Amino acid sequence: MKFNSAKTVLIVSLTTLTTFTHANQNSELEQLRAEVNELRQMLQTQKATPIISVQVPHVPTANVITPPEKNTQAIFKWQSKSGADVNLYGFVRADAAYQFEGAKGMFNRINGVLLEGDPDKKSTEDRLDSTVNASRIGLDFNTAVGEKTLKGKIEIDFRGGANKDNARLRHVYLNYDRWLIGQTTSTFLSTETAPEMLDSNTALGGGTNRNPMVRYSGPINTSTSYFLSLEKGNDENRLPLLASKLKHEFATDKGVMTARGLVQEVRLRNENDETKMGWGAALGLRYKITPSLLFNSNYSHVSGDNKLLLATSDNVRHIQNGDDVELIDFDAFQMGLTYQFNEKLRGTIGHGALIYEDKDVITKDANKKLQQSWANLMFKPNKPLTFGVEYVYGERNTVSQQVGKDKRIEMMAKYEF
């Protein structure tokens, strides 16, 4: 019989392996079972715990600058004892002015500019003034009341008292749903369409008067809203004044337009307690002509009021003309262009005027026409800081044709917090 050598070697090898395996069979099988059980447990553990694969991009180690870690925590909110959320805001402001000629004291007092020939006029010329009384601090708060939110504001500055150096309440009110009760800017005014002026008293032709009031407001549609308010008027009046405003916002953040109205009792205590009906009508516009150029304007016609608009307090509300009492009427306007040179620098040029109707020679010492122009630059190097400089030129003309001039340079530094 012939044997194939390869087959013979294979058969011998398998026989030897089988014999060896048979000799150790019992111990090998027990060890194998233990390993299989251990592997099964490892697989079950991996299925129960998902594995997250993280891919780390390759970053060169040379010249790597690690940015500072950003604070991602929520802004801290104060809470009052009753649980209302409270937000503190305000600014510290320092003002300085060099007045070539004008009125006594700082800021816009065009109606009190000393006239040519006044013996005290020299005291208002070539004078340097400074103050920090335009600094401001306020609290906004809100709390849930049922399904609505009750909001409120308390804001003060330091321009109160005879010397303009005492704390003064500016805004104090509660706002619930559509109702506002308290003191805030009169609904007849339109500060949102006033041109920018560095002067803290605002520009001639507008106003910032804040009255105690009850106001109701609401939307007409998505871009138009209305406001109706009963406000405290002149101290002599028995009844509150009624003011209204329509506010329309243009699409794509182009600006806003306002139309306002005013009706009030004018009580003449010294004229047999007679009463007249005073009224007012006004329009305002803020419109972005280009992304860098903004136009602002206001126009008002008012009869029988010397409180709401700036520079009207020196003139009376009415005059006696024979047996008849006539209310004083005036027109006021302001306009300005603001150009944004870059994200840090902007500038404004503007003009405002207040013109009275000529009623009677009895008002010969009263103001007939007030006007002023101004130009300013505002520099904002970063968010909390603003620096400004402004030149103002104004004229005061009386019924008797006397003239006074206002010429000054103002500078301002403000830190907002």
Side-chain angles (χ1 to χ4, degrees):
M1 179 183 293
K2 294 182 179 180
F3 295 93
N4 185 296
S5 59
K7 290 182 177 181
T8 302
V9 173
L10 178 59
I11 291 172
V12 173
S13 299
L14 289 174
T15 302
T16 304
L17 179 61
T18 302
T19 303
F20 178 78
T21 303
H22 179 73
N24 298 282
Q25 184 176 15
N26 292 333
S27 60
E28 293 283 348
L29 287 174
E30 292 298 329
Q31 184 177 355
L32 182 61
R33 288 193 185 98
E35 292 176 353
V36 170
N37 287 333
E38 184 179 356
L39 181 60
R40 184 182 293 116
Q41 292 176 0
M42 292 175 62
L43 290 174
Q44 289 176 351
T45 303
Q46 290 180 349
K47 290 179 180 180
T49 305
I51 298 174
I52 300 175
S53 177
V54 179
Q55 295 182 354
V56 180
H58 173 71
V59 179
T61 58
N63 299 326
V64 175
I65 300 175
T66 304
E69 185 175 335
K70 293 183 178 180
N71 182 10
T72 58
Q73 295 181 354
I75 297 174
F76 177 74
K77 290 184 177 180
W78 292 353
Q79 272 200 338
S80 68
K81 185 177 180 180
S82 63
D85 292 330
V86 181
N87 177 47
L88 172 69
Y89 70 93
F91 53 77
V92 177
R93 172 172 166 156
D95 289 273
Y98 186 85
Q99 184 166 282
F100 302 97
E101 57 180 321
K104 294 181 179 180
M106 281 195 68
F107 300 132
N108 197 353
R109 303 184 185 189
I110 183 64
N111 54 310
V113 167
L114 295 189
L115 302 169
E116 296 292 341
D118 191 300
D120 293 332
K121 190 174 184 301
K122 288 291 183 181
S123 66
T124 67
E125 297 178 352
D126 296 320
R127 192 182 72 243
L128 179 65
D129 291 316
S130 63
T131 186
V132 294
N133 63 13
S135 299
R136 192 177 303 173
I137 187 170
L139 293 172
D140 284 327
F141 60 90
N142 67 83
T143 186
V145 178
E147 296 181 354
K148 304 292 184 179
T149 299
L150 176 65
K151 300 178 182 180
K153 180 187 286 289
I154 300 175
E155 181 182 290
I156 66 172
D157 64 11
F158 304 91
R159 302 199 60 220
N163 296 322
K164 303 295 184 184
D165 57 359
N166 294 336
R168 177 183 66 167
L169 290 173
R170 288 173 51 85
H171 302 277
V172 183
Y173 61 77
L174 294 174
N175 192 186
Y176 180 73
D177 195 18
R178 297 185 178 185
W179 291 94
L180 181 146
I181 301 175
Q183 174 179 296
T184 191
T185 306
S186 174
T187 304
F188 183 69
L189 302 176
S190 182
T191 56
E192 59 265 57
T193 57
E196 183 174 40
M197 191 178 196
L198 181 148
D199 194 293
S200 181
N201 270 359
T202 198
L204 181 65
T208 59
N209 191 76
R210 294 168 290 275
N211 288 334
M213 69 175 68
V214 176
R215 186 169 73 194
Y216 184 83
S217 61
I220 295 177
N221 52 46
T222 55
S223 58
T224 307
S225 53
Y226 67 90
F227 304 81
L228 292 171
S229 62
L230 291 174
E231 308 177 12
K232 184 183 183 306
N234 192 282
D235 290 339
E236 294 184 357
N237 296 350
R238 287 172 293 194
L239 300 176
L241 64 85
L242 173 64
S244 62
K245 178 190 290 188
L246 282 176
K247 181 177 178 180
H248 176 75
E249 297 183 6
F250 298 111
T252 63
D253 196 30
K254 278 286 188 179
V256 63
M257 180 173 63
T258 64
R260 293 105 63 196
L262 164 69
V263 177
Q264 67 174 326
E265 171 201 52
V266 181
R267 186 183 182 189
L268 313 176
R269 291 178 182 264
N270 298 328
E271 308 295 340
N272 299 321
D273 214 20
E274 187 177 349
T275 60
K276 292 278 189 177
M277 188 186 76
W279 63 279
L283 293 172
L285 175 66
R286 183 182 79 237
Y287 191 78
K288 190 176 289 186
I289 300 173
T290 70
S292 300
L293 186 61
L294 180 67
F295 174 73
N296 287 279
S297 66
N298 276 309
Y299 168 77
S300 305
H301 180 89
V302 177
S303 177
D305 185 83
N306 62 354
K307 179 181 178 181
L308 293 176
L309 294 184
L310 180 73
T312 60
S313 59
D314 288 344
N315 279 34
V316 296
R317 299 183 298 157
H318 67 277
I319 59 171
Q320 186 75 30
N321 191 359
D323 294 333
D324 192 20
V325 174
E326 296 186 21
L327 298 182
I328 298 294
D329 290 61
F330 64 83
D331 293 293
F333 71 88
Q334 56 182 196
M335 62 180 62
L337 284 171
T338 299
Y339 187 77
Q340 191 78 39
F341 296 97
N342 53 52
E343 62 180 7
K344 296 182 179 182
L345 182 65
R346 66 183 184 273
T348 298
I349 56 172
H351 183 77
L354 184 68
I355 304 170
Y356 285 90
E357 291 187 6
D358 189 10
K359 292 289 186 180
D360 195 271
V361 294
I362 197 171
T363 62
K364 62 183 178 66
D365 294 328
N367 294 321
K368 168 64 178 175
K369 181 179 181 181
L370 305 172
Q371 58 182 327
Q372 67 181 187
S373 300
W374 71 93
N376 63 45
L377 287 173
M378 299 288 192
F379 178 62
K380 198 176 186 70
N382 49 49
K383 187 175 182 180
L385 287 174
T386 304
F387 300 95
V389 60
E390 180 173 82
Y391 177 74
V392 180
Y393 176 83
E395 289 187 0
R396 172 192 175 193
N397 299 86
T398 69
V399 173
S400 57
Q401 299 183 351
Q402 291 181 292
V403 179
K405 294 183 179 180
D406 181 25
K407 293 185 287 186
R408 53 198 159 89
I409 295 176
E410 296 186 354
M411 292 156 284
M412 179 270 294
K414 182 170 68 173
Y415 171 75
E416 300 178 64
F417 56 85

